[in-house]
Amino acid sequence: QVQLVESGGGLVQAGGSLRLSCAASGRSFSSFRMAWFRQAPGKEREFLAQITWSDGSTSVADSVKGRFTISGDKAKNTVYLQMNGLKPEDTAVYYCAAQRSPFFGYDYWGQGTQVTVSS
């Protein structure tokens, strides 16, 4: 059974930083790509960033570009999201996801970690 477990969320003041971690585990687990999403109350889930393991390439949504950085360690099946310059509107539940194949969508999801940014 595959599990993705996020950690590192919490309460931070505006302008502060947090680093989220997501560790994937499970027998013979491997992924093509891992990503971070978030969902604020009453809003749609929003893509934030992804990392493709085959070439280490990354992509970050324009809405957080310049403030959020994704990185990871494929050998450890772990992905990170460094968040700087946090704003109250970044308050949301943050989820990591894994995509086993480029031919399918994200098929594994973590339980989410709450990030709250106070003004």
Side-chain angles (χ1 to χ4, degrees):
Q1 184 177 357
V2 174
Q3 277 193 314
L4 275 63
V5 179
E6 302 98 336
S7 61
L11 174 64
V12 64
Q13 288 189 328
S17 298
L18 283 175
R19 189 192 194 209
L20 305 183
S21 300
C22 172
S25 63
R27 178 177 289 187
S28 301
F29 173 80
S30 67
S31 63
F32 168 74
R33 180 182 287 142
M34 292 184 73
W36 287 97
F37 293 78
R38 70 183 177 187
Q39 189 166 20
K43 294 190 175 181
E44 297 284 320
R45 184 170 59 199
E46 176 187 14
F47 166 80
L48 297 175
Q50 67 185 27
I51 182 166
T52 301
W53 295 123
S54 58
D55 60 1
S57 62
T58 62
S59 176
V60 180
D62 288 343
S63 60
V64 299
K65 193 170 292 183
R67 298 191 299 123
F68 291 12
T69 304
I70 189 170
S71 62
D73 186 333
K74 186 181 190 313
K76 296 182 179 179
N77 284 322
T78 300
V79 63
Y80 307 99
L81 186 68
Q82 178 67 43
M83 307 186 293
N84 299 326
L86 284 162
K87 306 174 182 180
E89 51 264 42
D90 293 318
T91 295
V93 178
Y94 285 68
Y95 298 91
C96 73
Q99 183 181 5
R100 287 179 293 169
S101 163
F103 305 107
F104 301 99
Y106 286 97
D107 40 7
Y108 294 116
W109 292 84
Q111 82 288 350
T113 185
Q114 176 71 45
V115 172
T116 303
V117 184
S118 63
S119 57

Short mmCIF file of all heavy atoms in Angstrom, two decimals, residues 6-12 18 20 36-48 63-64 67-68 81 83 86-96 111-118:
data_model
loop_
_atom_site.label_atom_id
_atom_site.label_comp_id
_atom_site.label_asym_id
_atom_site.label_seq_id
_atom_site.Cartn_x
_atom_site.Cartn_y
_atom_site.Cartn_z
N GLU A 6 2.69 14.08 4.43
CA GLU A 6 3.21 15.45 4.47
C GLU A 6 3.52 15.86 5.90
O GLU A 6 2.88 15.39 6.85
CB GLU A 6 2.20 16.44 3.89
CG GLU A 6 1.75 16.19 2.47
CD GLU A 6 0.43 15.47 2.39
OE1 GLU A 6 0.08 14.78 3.37
OE2 GLU A 6 -0.27 15.61 1.37
N SER A 7 4.46 16.76 6.03
CA SER A 7 4.78 17.33 7.33
C SER A 7 5.35 18.72 7.11
O SER A 7 5.72 19.09 5.99
CB SER A 7 5.78 16.46 8.09
OG SER A 7 6.99 16.35 7.36
N GLY A 8 5.41 19.49 8.20
CA GLY A 8 6.03 20.81 8.14
C GLY A 8 5.06 21.97 8.13
O GLY A 8 5.48 23.13 8.16
N GLY A 9 3.76 21.67 8.10
CA GLY A 9 2.80 22.75 8.13
C GLY A 9 2.74 23.39 9.51
O GLY A 9 3.35 22.92 10.47
N GLY A 10 1.97 24.47 9.61
CA GLY A 10 1.82 25.14 10.89
C GLY A 10 1.36 26.55 10.73
O GLY A 10 0.89 26.97 9.67
N LEU A 11 1.52 27.31 11.82
CA LEU A 11 1.12 28.71 11.86
C LEU A 11 2.37 29.58 11.73
O LEU A 11 3.36 29.37 12.45
CB LEU A 11 0.41 29.01 13.18
CG LEU A 11 0.04 30.46 13.46
CD1 LEU A 11 -0.97 30.96 12.44
CD2 LEU A 11 -0.51 30.59 14.88
N VAL A 12 2.31 30.54 10.83
CA VAL A 12 3.45 31.42 10.61
C VAL A 12 2.93 32.83 10.33
O VAL A 12 1.82 33.00 9.82
CB VAL A 12 4.31 30.91 9.42
CG1 VAL A 12 3.54 30.93 8.13
CG2 VAL A 12 5.62 31.69 9.31
N LEU A 18 8.17 28.55 5.54
CA LEU A 18 7.95 27.18 5.98
C LEU A 18 8.52 26.24 4.93
O LEU A 18 8.56 26.58 3.74
CB LEU A 18 6.46 26.87 6.15
CG LEU A 18 5.73 27.37 7.39
CD1 LEU A 18 4.25 27.05 7.29
CD2 LEU A 18 6.32 26.77 8.66
N LEU A 20 7.78 22.42 3.67
CA LEU A 20 6.97 21.21 3.73
C LEU A 20 7.75 20.02 3.17
O LEU A 20 8.53 20.17 2.24
CB LEU A 20 5.68 21.38 2.93
CG LEU A 20 4.80 22.57 3.28
CD1 LEU A 20 3.53 22.55 2.43
CD2 LEU A 20 4.46 22.61 4.75
N TRP A 36 3.05 19.36 -5.59
CA TRP A 36 2.35 19.97 -4.47
C TRP A 36 1.12 20.73 -5.01
O TRP A 36 1.20 21.41 -6.04
CB TRP A 36 3.25 20.94 -3.74
CG TRP A 36 4.31 20.30 -2.92
CD1 TRP A 36 5.61 20.07 -3.27
CD2 TRP A 36 4.16 19.78 -1.60
NE1 TRP A 36 6.28 19.44 -2.25
CE2 TRP A 36 5.41 19.26 -1.21
CE3 TRP A 36 3.09 19.71 -0.70
CZ2 TRP A 36 5.62 18.66 0.04
CZ3 TRP A 36 3.31 19.13 0.54
CH2 TRP A 36 4.56 18.61 0.90
N PHE A 37 0.04 20.58 -4.26
CA PHE A 37 -1.20 21.30 -4.51
C PHE A 37 -1.65 21.93 -3.20
O PHE A 37 -1.14 21.58 -2.14
CB PHE A 37 -2.30 20.34 -5.00
CG PHE A 37 -2.05 19.73 -6.35
CD1 PHE A 37 -1.15 18.67 -6.50
CD2 PHE A 37 -2.71 20.18 -7.47
CE1 PHE A 37 -0.92 18.09 -7.75
CE2 PHE A 37 -2.50 19.61 -8.72
CZ PHE A 37 -1.59 18.56 -8.84
N ARG A 38 -2.61 22.81 -3.27
CA ARG A 38 -3.22 23.34 -2.05
C ARG A 38 -4.70 23.60 -2.31
O ARG A 38 -5.13 23.77 -3.45
CB ARG A 38 -2.53 24.61 -1.58
CG ARG A 38 -2.76 25.83 -2.47
CD ARG A 38 -1.96 27.02 -1.96
NE ARG A 38 -2.12 28.18 -2.83
CZ ARG A 38 -1.42 29.31 -2.70
NH1 ARG A 38 -0.52 29.42 -1.73
NH2 ARG A 38 -1.63 30.32 -3.52
N GLN A 39 -5.43 23.63 -1.22
CA GLN A 39 -6.85 23.94 -1.31
C GLN A 39 -7.25 24.78 -0.11
O GLN A 39 -7.11 24.35 1.04
CB GLN A 39 -7.70 22.67 -1.38
CG GLN A 39 -9.16 22.94 -1.68
CD GLN A 39 -9.92 21.70 -2.08
OE1 GLN A 39 -9.50 20.58 -1.81
NE2 GLN A 39 -11.03 21.89 -2.77
N ALA A 40 -7.74 25.96 -0.41
CA ALA A 40 -8.23 26.86 0.63
C ALA A 40 -9.73 26.64 0.77
O ALA A 40 -10.40 26.18 -0.16
CB ALA A 40 -7.93 28.31 0.25
N PRO A 41 -10.29 26.99 1.92
CA PRO A 41 -11.73 26.80 2.15
C PRO A 41 -12.55 27.50 1.06
O PRO A 41 -12.32 28.67 0.75
CB PRO A 41 -11.96 27.45 3.51
CG PRO A 41 -10.65 27.33 4.19
CD PRO A 41 -9.62 27.51 3.12
N GLY A 42 -13.48 26.76 0.48
CA GLY A 42 -14.37 27.33 -0.53
C GLY A 42 -13.75 27.53 -1.89
O GLY A 42 -14.37 28.11 -2.78
N LYS A 43 -12.51 27.05 -2.05
CA LYS A 43 -11.83 27.24 -3.34
C LYS A 43 -11.48 25.90 -3.96
O LYS A 43 -11.42 24.86 -3.29
CB LYS A 43 -10.58 28.10 -3.16
CG LYS A 43 -10.86 29.52 -2.73
CD LYS A 43 -9.61 30.37 -2.81
CE LYS A 43 -9.91 31.83 -2.50
NZ LYS A 43 -8.69 32.68 -2.60
N GLU A 44 -11.18 25.96 -5.26
CA GLU A 44 -10.75 24.76 -5.98
C GLU A 44 -9.31 24.40 -5.57
O GLU A 44 -8.54 25.26 -5.14
CB GLU A 44 -10.79 25.03 -7.49
CG GLU A 44 -12.16 25.33 -8.05
CD GLU A 44 -13.00 24.07 -8.18
OE1 GLU A 44 -12.43 23.03 -8.58
OE2 GLU A 44 -14.20 24.12 -7.89
N ARG A 45 -9.00 23.13 -5.75
CA ARG A 45 -7.62 22.72 -5.53
C ARG A 45 -6.73 23.38 -6.57
O ARG A 45 -7.07 23.44 -7.75
CB ARG A 45 -7.50 21.19 -5.62
CG ARG A 45 -6.13 20.66 -5.30
CD ARG A 45 -6.18 19.16 -5.18
NE ARG A 45 -6.65 18.53 -6.40
CZ ARG A 45 -7.12 17.29 -6.45
NH1 ARG A 45 -7.20 16.56 -5.35
NH2 ARG A 45 -7.52 16.79 -7.61
N GLU A 46 -5.58 23.85 -6.11
CA GLU A 46 -4.68 24.63 -6.96
C GLU A 46 -3.32 23.95 -7.08
O GLU A 46 -2.71 23.58 -6.07
CB GLU A 46 -4.49 26.03 -6.34
CG GLU A 46 -3.50 26.92 -7.08
CD GLU A 46 -3.23 28.22 -6.35
OE1 GLU A 46 -3.59 28.34 -5.16
OE2 GLU A 46 -2.64 29.13 -6.95
N PHE A 47 -2.86 23.79 -8.30
CA PHE A 47 -1.52 23.25 -8.54
C PHE A 47 -0.48 24.29 -8.14
O PHE A 47 -0.63 25.48 -8.44
CB PHE A 47 -1.35 22.90 -10.02
CG PHE A 47 0.07 22.65 -10.43
CD1 PHE A 47 0.68 21.43 -10.18
CD2 PHE A 47 0.81 23.65 -11.04
CE1 PHE A 47 1.99 21.21 -10.55
CE2 PHE A 47 2.13 23.44 -11.42
CZ PHE A 47 2.71 22.22 -11.17
N LEU A 48 0.59 23.83 -7.49
CA LEU A 48 1.65 24.74 -7.07
C LEU A 48 2.97 24.46 -7.78
O LEU A 48 3.61 25.38 -8.30
CB LEU A 48 1.87 24.64 -5.57
CG LEU A 48 0.70 25.05 -4.68
CD1 LEU A 48 1.04 24.77 -3.22
CD2 LEU A 48 0.35 26.51 -4.89
N SER A 63 1.39 31.77 -9.85
CA SER A 63 0.84 32.43 -8.65
C SER A 63 1.81 32.42 -7.48
O SER A 63 1.69 33.26 -6.58
CB SER A 63 -0.47 31.75 -8.25
OG SER A 63 -0.26 30.38 -7.96
N VAL A 64 2.76 31.50 -7.47
CA VAL A 64 3.70 31.41 -6.35
C VAL A 64 5.15 31.46 -6.81
O VAL A 64 6.08 31.34 -6.00
CB VAL A 64 3.47 30.13 -5.52
CG1 VAL A 64 2.07 30.15 -4.92
CG2 VAL A 64 3.69 28.88 -6.36
N ARG A 67 8.47 32.76 -4.95
CA ARG A 67 8.34 32.58 -3.50
C ARG A 67 8.43 31.12 -3.08
O ARG A 67 8.95 30.82 -2.01
CB ARG A 67 7.00 33.16 -3.01
CG ARG A 67 6.84 34.64 -3.25
CD ARG A 67 5.62 35.18 -2.51
NE ARG A 67 4.37 34.55 -2.96
CZ ARG A 67 3.53 33.91 -2.15
NH1 ARG A 67 3.79 33.80 -0.87
NH2 ARG A 67 2.41 33.39 -2.64
N PHE A 68 7.93 30.22 -3.90
CA PHE A 68 7.92 28.79 -3.60
C PHE A 68 8.91 28.06 -4.48
O PHE A 68 9.02 28.34 -5.68
CB PHE A 68 6.53 28.19 -3.82
CG PHE A 68 5.47 28.62 -2.85
CD1 PHE A 68 5.68 29.68 -1.98
CD2 PHE A 68 4.25 27.96 -2.80
CE1 PHE A 68 4.69 30.08 -1.08
CE2 PHE A 68 3.26 28.33 -1.92
CZ PHE A 68 3.48 29.41 -1.06
N LEU A 81 8.75 21.42 -0.34
CA LEU A 81 8.25 22.69 -0.85
C LEU A 81 8.73 23.78 0.10
O LEU A 81 8.28 23.85 1.25
CB LEU A 81 6.72 22.70 -0.95
CG LEU A 81 6.14 23.96 -1.60
CD1 LEU A 81 6.51 24.00 -3.09
CD2 LEU A 81 4.63 24.01 -1.43
N MET A 83 8.68 27.48 1.10
CA MET A 83 7.77 28.60 0.92
C MET A 83 8.31 29.81 1.67
O MET A 83 8.45 29.77 2.89
CB MET A 83 6.36 28.24 1.43
CG MET A 83 5.82 26.95 0.83
SD MET A 83 4.13 26.62 1.31
CE MET A 83 4.33 26.30 3.07
N LEU A 86 5.59 34.29 2.88
CA LEU A 86 4.21 33.81 2.97
C LEU A 86 3.23 34.96 3.22
O LEU A 86 3.54 35.93 3.92
CB LEU A 86 4.09 32.75 4.05
CG LEU A 86 4.65 31.39 3.63
CD1 LEU A 86 4.92 30.50 4.84
CD2 LEU A 86 3.70 30.71 2.66
N LYS A 87 2.05 34.80 2.63
CA LYS A 87 0.99 35.80 2.73
C LYS A 87 -0.25 35.15 3.33
O LYS A 87 -0.43 33.92 3.20
CB LYS A 87 0.66 36.33 1.34
CG LYS A 87 1.85 36.87 0.57
CD LYS A 87 1.45 37.25 -0.86
CE LYS A 87 2.64 37.74 -1.65
NZ LYS A 87 2.26 38.10 -3.05
N PRO A 88 -1.13 35.94 3.94
CA PRO A 88 -2.36 35.35 4.48
C PRO A 88 -3.14 34.55 3.44
O PRO A 88 -3.77 33.53 3.78
CB PRO A 88 -3.14 36.57 4.95
CG PRO A 88 -2.08 37.56 5.33
CD PRO A 88 -1.00 37.35 4.30
N GLU A 89 -3.09 34.94 2.20
CA GLU A 89 -3.82 34.21 1.16
C GLU A 89 -3.18 32.87 0.81
O GLU A 89 -3.75 32.10 0.02
CB GLU A 89 -3.95 35.06 -0.11
CG GLU A 89 -2.66 35.66 -0.63
CD GLU A 89 -2.46 37.10 -0.15
OE1 GLU A 89 -2.74 37.39 1.04
OE2 GLU A 89 -2.01 37.92 -0.99
N ASP A 90 -2.03 32.58 1.38
CA ASP A 90 -1.42 31.25 1.22
C ASP A 90 -2.02 30.24 2.19
O ASP A 90 -1.69 29.05 2.14
CB ASP A 90 0.09 31.32 1.42
CG ASP A 90 0.80 32.11 0.33
OD1 ASP A 90 0.44 31.96 -0.85
OD2 ASP A 90 1.72 32.88 0.68
N THR A 91 -2.87 30.71 3.09
CA THR A 91 -3.49 29.81 4.05
C THR A 91 -4.33 28.77 3.33
O THR A 91 -5.22 29.10 2.53
CB THR A 91 -4.37 30.60 5.02
OG1 THR A 91 -3.53 31.46 5.81
CG2 THR A 91 -5.14 29.67 5.95
N ALA A 92 -4.04 27.50 3.58
CA ALA A 92 -4.72 26.40 2.89
C ALA A 92 -4.22 25.07 3.46
O ALA A 92 -3.28 25.03 4.25
CB ALA A 92 -4.43 26.45 1.39
N VAL A 93 -4.85 24.01 3.01
CA VAL A 93 -4.32 22.68 3.25
C VAL A 93 -3.46 22.32 2.05
O VAL A 93 -3.90 22.45 0.90
CB VAL A 93 -5.45 21.64 3.42
CG1 VAL A 93 -4.84 20.24 3.62
CG2 VAL A 93 -6.33 21.99 4.61
N TYR A 94 -2.24 21.91 2.33
CA TYR A 94 -1.27 21.61 1.28
C TYR A 94 -1.14 20.09 1.14
O TYR A 94 -0.97 19.38 2.13
CB TYR A 94 0.07 22.23 1.61
CG TYR A 94 0.09 23.72 1.38
CD1 TYR A 94 -0.67 24.58 2.17
CD2 TYR A 94 0.84 24.28 0.35
CE1 TYR A 94 -0.67 25.95 1.95
CE2 TYR A 94 0.85 25.65 0.12
CZ TYR A 94 0.08 26.47 0.92
OH TYR A 94 0.07 27.83 0.68
N TYR A 95 -1.22 19.64 -0.11
CA TYR A 95 -1.19 18.21 -0.41
C TYR A 95 -0.03 17.89 -1.34
O TYR A 95 0.27 18.67 -2.26
CB TYR A 95 -2.47 17.78 -1.12
CG TYR A 95 -3.73 17.97 -0.34
CD1 TYR A 95 -4.46 19.15 -0.44
CD2 TYR A 95 -4.21 16.96 0.50
CE1 TYR A 95 -5.63 19.33 0.27
CE2 TYR A 95 -5.39 17.13 1.21
CZ TYR A 95 -6.09 18.32 1.10
OH TYR A 95 -7.25 18.48 1.81
N CYS A 96 0.59 16.76 -1.13
CA CYS A 96 1.51 16.27 -2.14
C CYS A 96 0.85 15.13 -2.89
O CYS A 96 -0.08 14.49 -2.40
CB CYS A 96 2.86 15.84 -1.56
SG CYS A 96 2.85 14.30 -0.65
N GLN A 111 -2.49 13.09 2.91
CA GLN A 111 -3.66 13.49 3.69
C GLN A 111 -3.73 15.02 3.86
O GLN A 111 -4.77 15.54 4.26
CB GLN A 111 -3.64 12.81 5.06
CG GLN A 111 -2.77 13.49 6.11
CD GLN A 111 -1.28 13.33 5.86
OE1 GLN A 111 -0.84 12.56 5.00
NE2 GLN A 111 -0.46 14.08 6.60
N GLY A 112 -2.65 15.69 3.55
CA GLY A 112 -2.63 17.14 3.64
C GLY A 112 -2.05 17.65 4.94
O GLY A 112 -2.12 16.98 5.98
N THR A 113 -1.48 18.84 4.87
CA THR A 113 -0.98 19.51 6.07
C THR A 113 -1.45 20.96 6.02
O THR A 113 -1.40 21.62 4.98
CB THR A 113 0.56 19.40 6.16
OG1 THR A 113 1.00 19.95 7.40
CG2 THR A 113 1.27 20.12 5.02
N GLN A 114 -1.91 21.45 7.16
CA GLN A 114 -2.49 22.80 7.23
C GLN A 114 -1.38 23.84 7.33
O GLN A 114 -0.46 23.70 8.17
CB GLN A 114 -3.41 22.92 8.43
CG GLN A 114 -3.99 24.31 8.64
CD GLN A 114 -5.01 24.69 7.58
OE1 GLN A 114 -5.88 23.90 7.23
NE2 GLN A 114 -4.91 25.92 7.07
N VAL A 115 -1.48 24.87 6.51
CA VAL A 115 -0.61 26.04 6.61
C VAL A 115 -1.50 27.24 6.86
O VAL A 115 -2.44 27.50 6.09
CB VAL A 115 0.21 26.23 5.32
CG1 VAL A 115 0.95 27.56 5.36
CG2 VAL A 115 1.20 25.08 5.15
N THR A 116 -1.21 27.95 7.94
CA THR A 116 -1.98 29.13 8.29
C THR A 116 -1.03 30.31 8.41
O THR A 116 -0.05 30.24 9.16
CB THR A 116 -2.75 28.94 9.60
OG1 THR A 116 -3.60 27.80 9.49
CG2 THR A 116 -3.59 30.17 9.91
N VAL A 117 -1.31 31.36 7.66
CA VAL A 117 -0.46 32.55 7.67
C VAL A 117 -1.26 33.69 8.29
O VAL A 117 -2.31 34.07 7.78
CB VAL A 117 0.00 32.92 6.26
CG1 VAL A 117 0.97 34.10 6.32
CG2 VAL A 117 0.65 31.73 5.58
N SER A 118 -0.76 34.21 9.39
CA SER A 118 -1.45 35.29 10.08
C SER A 118 -0.91 36.65 9.61
O SER A 118 0.25 36.79 9.25
CB SER A 118 -1.26 35.16 11.59
OG SER A 118 0.10 35.28 11.92
#
